[in-house]
Amino acid sequence: MKKLICILMLCALALPLSGCSGKNPYAGAENPIATITMSDGSTMRFELHLEVAPNTVANFCSLANDGFYDGLEFFRVVPGVLIQAGCPDNDGTGNAGYTIKGEFSANGVENSLSHVRGTLSMARITGRNNSASSQFFIMQGNYPEYDGSYAAFGTALDAETLTVLDAIANRAVDVNSVPMVRQTIATIRVNTHGLELKPKTISIEEKPTPTPEPTEKTSSGGKSS
């Protein structure tokens, strides 16, 4: 099983936002609203929390509005746990060519969002706090044990979002957690309310090597893979 940059896995970098300077340049700004439109026309909507993970939000908005995610797939589905997307290679090994700093407590950044149903969070490489890049995951289940280790940055806005999430997460998958029927993203666009968001990034010379997933745990959301 490809232990991709799994739910807990992938890229990274540092941003003086909340991680270094302790100052949030977007303080007081209206939170962006992200809309994920699937190839079948169904949509998921999320509020992105600038006050919690400003650089993570800026990075996601920048990639989304540049069309980076268009045509990519939810390549990893763990029913009852999460769905994952954002890899340009659709196999968990790719990234945006840079990383960002992990905005979570284990990396010295306070983050109050919990990994419960409908939470949007960044994937990274296990053991590398500053390895998040473009890959993200959406929680179907409740896994608070991920809190403090992954940069949660968004929350589902409505019942339709959760319905679409369940439709994707409940698809049949193979032994590698790859959906038997491709789950393709048509577009992801973010309404930033006119705010210009520029992420602080870290250059990388090559793709991160996939690493094993976290230890299997059980919570109210089910089992992780």
Side-chain angles (χ1 to χ4, degrees):
M1 172 177 185
K2 289 187 177 180
K3 307 300 187 174
L4 345 150
I5 286 175
C6 243
I7 159 172
L8 317 295
M9 348 169 199
L10 180 46
C11 314
L13 184 96
L15 170 111
L17 293 178
S18 52
C20 297
S21 67
K23 295 181 180 180
N24 182 347
Y26 310 123
E30 186 173 2
N31 283 332
I33 303 298
T35 300
I36 300 176
T37 302
M38 300 299 293
S39 59
D40 63 2
S42 60
T43 61
M44 294 183 281
R45 299 175 67 244
F46 299 86
E47 178 178 5
L48 308 184
H49 298 274
L50 282 168
E51 76 282 6
V52 172
N55 198 54
T56 302
V57 170
N59 178 61
F60 185 84
C61 291
S62 177
L63 290 172
N65 289 340
D66 280 346
F68 180 90
Y69 294 121
D70 297 0
L72 300 188
E73 301 173 18
F74 280 99
F75 64 86
R76 180 172 181 259
V77 169
V78 184
V81 185
L82 61 87
I83 61 177
Q84 185 174 334
C87 173
D89 300 318
N90 289 321
D91 64 2
T93 64
N95 55 60
Y98 62 80
T99 65
I100 59 173
K101 179 174 181 175
E103 293 179 304
F104 46 83
S105 61
N107 205 32
V109 180
E110 189 66 28
N111 187 321
S112 60
L113 289 183
S114 184
H115 287 77
V116 297
R117 178 170 167 78
T119 296
L120 180 61
S121 189
M122 289 302 289
R124 67 177 177 83
I125 298 172
T126 303
R128 296 187 189 179
N129 287 348
N130 296 328
S131 61
S133 181
S134 59
Q135 293 191 41
F136 63 90
F137 59 94
I138 304 170
M139 301 302 302
Q140 184 190 29
N142 300 317
Y143 276 74
E145 55 264 45
Y146 295 155
D147 297 354
S149 297
Y150 300 92
F153 67 98
T155 51
L157 275 176
D158 49 41
E160 179 185 3
T161 295
L162 297 179
T163 297
V164 175
L165 167 61
D166 288 340
I168 297 171
N170 294 335
R171 292 281 187 176
V173 298
D174 65 18
V175 294
N176 294 316
S177 298
V178 177
M180 301 296 285
V181 177
R182 298 176 69 175
Q183 301 299 299
T184 305
I185 296 168
T187 63
I188 300 182
R189 294 293 182 269
V190 184
N191 179 1
T192 64
H193 311 291
L195 185 65
E196 184 175 8
L197 299 170
K198 293 185 178 180
K200 171 72 175 182
T201 65
I202 295 174
S203 298
I204 54 176
E205 296 181 353
E206 58 186 23
K207 294 182 180 179
T209 301
T211 58
E213 299 171 17
T215 302
E216 191 169 301
K217 294 184 179 180
T218 301
S219 75
S220 58
K223 298 178 179 179
S224 67
S225 63

